[in-house]
């Protein structure tokens, strides 16, 4: 089997973030975020169970999802994608805002923000799938979304081992 066939699937890059009632904050880059339904408006995100962000979403019961734009450079992607929220404040020194649920999200290099309350979760092995019902949504930048293909071809980004699309060589 050639698992690299999955590289042909189209997806974007997103920052998913949450803040629990105890003040614990998690944020990471994911490549699995999608709209599921229009009534009610629901999205799904898939987060590695080893990521601190996954634990924070479980505690909080809500999250923010922000699709990145092509203006995002590798240092910005790396801030959210290659460092841990347990030992690094990913929002320090960048433009950000907060949802009504208290979840932080970046406002630079993101096309939009959706704020969601978790209505379902499903353990899918290495990752958790969270279904969120939207309680707020905002358009932020009129820039092209950052696709995973653009990330690989133009930015020369790598797929980290915790990504849902990671295929070992």
């Amino acid at each position: 089997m050639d698992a690299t066939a999955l590289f042909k699937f189209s997806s974007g890059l997103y920052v998913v973030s949450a803040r629990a009632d105890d003040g614990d904050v998690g944020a990471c880059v994911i490549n699995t975020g999608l709209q599921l339904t229009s009534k009610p408006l629901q999205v799904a995100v898939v987060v590695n169970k080893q990521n601190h962000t996954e634990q924070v979403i479980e505690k909080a019961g809500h999250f923010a999802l922000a699709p990145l734009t092509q203006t995002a450079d590798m240092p910005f992607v790396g801030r959210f994608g290659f460092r841990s929220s347990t030992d690094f404040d990913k929002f320090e020194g960048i433009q950000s805002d907060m949802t009504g649920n208290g979840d932080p999200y970046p406002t630079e290099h993101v096309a939009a923000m959706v704020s969601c309350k978790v209505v379902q979760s499903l353990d899918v092995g290495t990752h958790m799938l969270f279904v969120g019902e939207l309680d707020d949504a905002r358009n932020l930048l009129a820039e092209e979304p950052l696709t995973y293909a653009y990330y690989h071809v133009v930015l020369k980004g790598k797929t980290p081992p915790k990504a849902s699309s990671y295929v070992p060589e």
Side-chain angles (χ1 to χ4, degrees):
M1 175 171 62
D2 183 359
T4 63
L6 295 170
F7 294 165
K8 305 295 185 198
F9 285 38
S10 178
S11 64
L13 286 180
Y14 309 84
V15 170
V16 64
S17 55
R19 179 187 308 267
D21 289 341
D22 63 5
D24 195 7
V25 175
C28 66
V29 171
I30 61 170
N31 69 332
T32 310
L34 63 140
Q35 180 180 348
L36 295 175
T37 60
S38 59
K39 285 190 180 182
L41 278 171
Q42 293 183 355
V43 298
V45 296
V46 179
V47 184
N48 190 295
K49 292 190 289 190
Q50 293 180 5
N51 281 359
H52 182 70
T53 305
E54 186 275 338
Q55 297 159 21
V56 177
I57 293 171
E58 282 199 33
K59 281 195 299 188
H62 46 76
F63 61 87
L65 182 64
L68 295 176
T69 67
Q70 289 181 6
T71 63
D73 56 15
M74 285 307 294
F76 188 85
V77 173
R79 163 186 287 272
F80 288 97
F82 294 98
R83 300 191 71 175
S84 174
S85 296
T86 58
D87 56 18
F88 177 69
D89 182 351
K90 296 184 180 186
F91 293 97
E92 184 179 339
I94 66 163
Q95 297 172 21
S96 62
D97 203 350
M98 196 90 56
T99 68
N101 294 327
D103 300 320
Y105 62 92
T107 56
E108 54 185 296
H109 306 299
V110 298
M113 176 283 302
V114 295
S115 173
C116 302
K117 292 192 177 163
V118 175
V119 294
Q120 289 186 52
S121 59
L122 176 66
D123 185 326
V124 291
T126 57
H127 289 66
M128 285 295 289
L129 182 144
F130 296 102
V131 176
E133 188 169 320
L134 274 67
D135 55 26
D136 193 13
R138 298 178 196 148
N139 282 304
L140 300 173
L141 298 174
E143 303 287 341
E144 287 295 316
L146 175 58
T147 64
Y148 213 28
Y150 186 94
Y151 168 75
H152 283 294
V153 174
V154 177
L155 296 180
K156 307 290 187 208
K158 304 292 182 209
T159 301
K162 289 184 181 178
S164 61
S165 61
Y166 178 72
V167 176
E169 292 183 25

